[in-house]
Amino acid sequence: MATRLAPGETDLLLAVDVQNDFCPGGALAVPEGDAVVPIVNRLIAVFPHVALTQDWHPADHRSFAVAHPGRQPFETVMLYYGRQTLWPAHCVQGTPGAAFHRQLASDAAEFIVRKGFRKAIDSYSAFFENDRKTPTGLAGYCRERGFARLYLCGLATDYCVRYSAEDARRLGFAVAVIEDACRGIDLDGSLAQAWSALAGLGVERLLAARLLADL
Ligand code: VGL
Ligand code: ZN
């Protein structure tokens, strides 16, 4: 039997973008996106510290295809910071699509980081915007709180979860991604690429069932 210590004072559960627009029926629905909700809730119940991210775009955000005449969602363009995938308009500030899934146990969150609120730049990672330089403040928060190990889950595995996990490793945190508490978009092999990039950075890949069973 594997033995894993129960999550403690230096462990943070970070649930990424569990929002209506990433769930079936939403503007940028991730296949089975809502299936993560009960699993994330079970994790929330056993973690003493929980933070959430919330994708939070102005209505005229530059990552939206509609801001680029003649372009379609899922095409890529060059913006000032590099290549950017164009998305259907999603998670517009204050809209129902930007709200957390109503069954998510969001009251447990000690901290909510919003990202993607600057019109000209997207932010997949919870730590840095897509220029990979502009901080969101989450790294400082985690350090001040004394978190050493971050457990990531949520949507989407191959975008916001992946980039958040990569940045967390680069910042020196121990990182685990809880695979069955995530779902991916999978554009042109992005899901397989995400898992290999994460493995290469020493990100642990866990199953919620195992984590919970070991407690
Ligand atoms: C996301 C694409 C655009 C995500 C957010 O949460 O993974 N993906 N905005
Ligand atoms: Zn977004």
Side-chain angles (χ1 to χ4, degrees):
M1 262 305 280
T3 50
R4 180 175 290 281
L5 290 177
E9 283 307 303
T10 60
D11 296 319
L12 177 70
L13 180 71
L14 181 64
V16 173
D17 297 359
V18 186
Q19 293 167 262
N20 291 323
D21 270 343
F22 297 120
C23 292
L28 178 43
V30 177
E32 301 180 349
D34 57 341
V36 306
V37 173
I39 308 172
V40 172
N41 285 347
R42 262 176 256 139
L43 293 165
I44 286 175
V46 299
F47 271 82
H49 303 296
V50 177
L52 305 176
T53 72
Q54 193 171 24
D55 211 37
W56 196 249
H57 299 306
D60 57 354
H61 196 254
R62 293 288 288 166
S63 76
F64 295 171
V66 67
H68 302 263
R71 299 305 188 111
Q72 297 301 313
F74 311 110
E75 292 180 10
T76 57
V77 293
M78 290 304 288
L79 297 184
Y80 74 90
Y81 51 83
R83 188 168 294 284
Q84 172 69 48
T85 300
L86 297 179
W87 304 106
H90 64 278
C91 295
V92 172
Q93 295 169 3
T95 64
F100 293 116
H101 188 288
R102 57 193 295 277
Q103 269 138 18
L104 181 71
S106 57
D107 287 351
E110 294 173 345
F111 192 71
I112 297 172
V113 56
R114 287 177 167 165
K115 59 185 181 61
F117 49 77
R118 287 190 182 87
K119 172 184 165 167
I121 182 167
D122 206 0
S123 186
Y124 295 153
S125 165
F127 296 93
F128 295 102
E129 301 190 10
N130 282 10
D131 60 2
R132 316 305 297 265
K133 289 196 288 275
T134 306
T136 63
L138 183 61
Y141 176 81
C142 289
R143 288 184 182 132
E144 281 204 84
R145 292 290 312 274
F147 299 130
R149 185 176 185 82
L150 309 184
Y151 290 78
L152 271 65
C153 57
L155 306 170
T157 320
D158 39 352
Y159 289 91
C160 292
V161 175
R162 173 194 176 172
Y163 284 86
S164 299
E166 289 187 1
D167 283 344
R169 281 298 296 144
R170 289 198 194 100
L171 289 161
F173 297 101
V175 182
V177 172
I178 305 170
E179 178 174 3
D180 50 339
C182 300
R183 288 295 185 281
I185 296 175
D186 206 11
L187 278 185
D188 302 322
S190 57
L191 196 51
Q193 278 166 33
W195 285 120
S196 68
L198 293 177
L201 287 169
V203 171
E204 196 182 350
R205 186 170 171 174
L206 297 178
L207 288 175
R210 273 307 292 274
L211 182 73
L212 295 163
D214 284 353
L215 295 179

